[in-house]
Amino acid sequence: SMSTQLIASNEMPFFNDTSQGIIRRLQFIDFDAKVSKPNINLLFELIDEEEGMSWLITKSLEAWREAYNRGKLTESYESNVLLMRYQLDINSCLEFILDTYVDEEYVQKDNNENIISYDLSKIEIDGLTFKEVYAKYSLWCLEKNKVAKNTNNFAKQFNKTIEPYYEIYATTKYENGARKNVRTYRKK
């Protein structure tokens, strides 16, 4: 298998893919140490000496072997918080769902109010129509000062997020002589 290292500073990277496939492949490392006088030549000095290069390669291979034997990279609390924050940043539907349709007891937060885990199986939208959900989402975006997705993009992301728990039941209604399709959410 292959991996690509992406280093982004000051801003989180952005991917159009919001699926769990991309999320489980991401590992965030927070470089928050403050160095008063950095030695910008340190890496070159290590590589320049044969002993330093040998040490660097050995440490890299040991770290790779440990991760391989564990089946994953070591996760720190801080990197998990960053990953969760990233998930919420790229998927406003997920944040909306957690804020609006999941009881607080199923959304775990740390002392700094960072969401650290959630249980989407506890989402409560049974019987609601898509129109009702989208109207609530639009108001939520106004309150949170976020840009609302258009109905098509919202429907794709919202439905994909709730798919394991709900199905969409479509019916046709006639209102004032006009035919209307109504999509209602039903628990699976």
Side-chain angles (χ1 to χ4, degrees), residues 2-186:
M2 261 177 50
S3 70
T4 300
Q5 291 183 6
L6 178 69
I7 298 175
S9 57
N10 299 331
E11 298 289 330
M12 291 284 215
F14 179 80
F15 300 98
N16 287 327
D17 186 350
T18 60
S19 69
Q20 285 303 308
I22 191 81
I23 296 300
R24 74 172 170 267
R25 289 173 174 86
L26 292 175
Q27 178 75 39
F28 288 102
I29 303 168
D30 193 12
F31 293 101
D32 61 352
K34 294 180 178 43
V35 180
S36 57
K37 231 179 181 193
N39 180 355
I40 59 174
N41 297 317
L42 180 61
L43 184 60
F44 296 112
E45 290 171 9
L46 284 174
I47 293 174
D48 204 27
E49 301 171 15
E50 190 172 324
E51 186 179 310
M53 186 181 289
S54 176
W55 175 84
L56 190 60
I57 291 170
T58 302
K59 287 295 183 187
S60 298
L61 290 174
E62 285 173 0
W64 180 85
R65 186 181 304 126
E66 285 177 29
Y68 180 79
N69 289 338
R70 267 194 314 275
K72 63 180 183 176
L73 294 173
T74 302
E75 295 176 358
S76 71
Y77 175 79
E78 290 79 10
S79 69
N80 287 338
V81 168
L82 286 171
L83 182 60
M84 184 64 67
R85 190 178 312 147
Y86 180 75
Q87 277 184 281
L88 297 172
D89 285 348
I90 64 170
N91 186 346
S92 64
C93 292
L94 176 59
E95 187 178 3
F96 164 69
I97 290 167
L98 295 176
D99 272 0
T100 311
Y101 295 116
V102 178
D103 285 339
E104 285 183 18
E105 66 184 288
Y106 302 113
V107 179
Q108 304 300 314
K109 295 182 178 183
D110 65 10
N111 294 337
N112 296 322
E113 291 300 305
N114 293 307
I115 295 174
I116 53 175
S117 69
Y118 56 84
D119 184 355
L120 274 185
S121 69
K122 304 300 183 188
I123 182 174
E124 290 297 332
I125 59 168
D126 202 32
L128 293 178
T129 66
F130 174 78
K131 190 175 181 180
E132 293 168 326
V133 172
Y134 186 73
K136 202 166 197 172
Y137 168 73
S138 297
L139 289 173
W140 178 85
C141 285
L142 281 173
E143 290 171 5
K144 299 285 184 174
N145 202 23
K146 293 182 179 277
V147 177
K149 296 178 179 305
N150 66 36
T151 54
N152 288 338
N153 289 337
F154 175 78
K156 283 180 198 172
Q157 195 169 51
F158 185 82
N159 294 340
K160 191 175 184 180
T161 304
I162 63 155
E163 184 179 35
Y165 315 104
Y166 281 86
E167 60 189 357
I168 301 168
Y169 179 74
T171 58
T172 304
K173 280 186 175 179
Y174 289 92
E175 245 178 54
N176 300 329
R179 181 179 159 185
K180 285 190 163 193
N181 292 324
V182 178
R183 294 175 284 177
T184 307
Y185 294 101
R186 285 190 178 168

